[in-house]
Amino acid sequence: MTILGILLIGLVVGLIARFVTPGPNPRGIIVTIVIGIVGAVIATYGGQALGLYQVGEPAGFFGSVLGAVVLLVLLRLIGR
C-alpha cells in the first residue's frame, strides 16, 4: 500500500472514531490521520495478543476504528 493510501485510510478511520466518540476531540487533519493510523496499530497488536489475528495479519477496518476509539478514550483520561 502506498503512503497516500495509508494516509487516506488513517484519515477515514480517524474521522469515524472522532464522530463515534462523544465530547471534545483533538482537532486538525494531521492529528486525525495519526489517530487513525495509531488506532490501526493498537487494533493489530491487541488483536494478536487476544488471538484474533495471526502474526503478520493486519486488523480490519472495524478493528482499526475500535482501536482509534480506544486511543481517544485513553487520550482523554491522560489529558485530565
Side-chain angles (χ1 to χ4, degrees), residues 15-71:
L15 285 173
I16 292 172
R18 285 177 56 180
F19 179 73
V20 171
T21 310
N25 290 315
R27 304 245 188 261
I29 192 166
I30 302 296
V31 175
T32 303
I33 291 171
V34 170
I35 287 171
I37 292 172
V38 173
V41 170
I42 289 172
T44 298
Y45 289 116
Q48 288 175 2
L50 294 173
L52 299 173
Y53 303 114
Q54 299 297 322
V55 176
E57 182 181 4
F61 183 76
F62 293 112
S64 298
V65 171
L66 182 64
V69 169
V70 167
L71 177 63

Side-chain angles (χ1 to χ4, degrees), residues 68-80:
V69 169
V70 167
L71 177 63
L72 284 173
V73 169
L74 288 175
L75 286 174
R76 283 200 194 134
L77 291 175
I78 291 171
R80 289 183 181 182

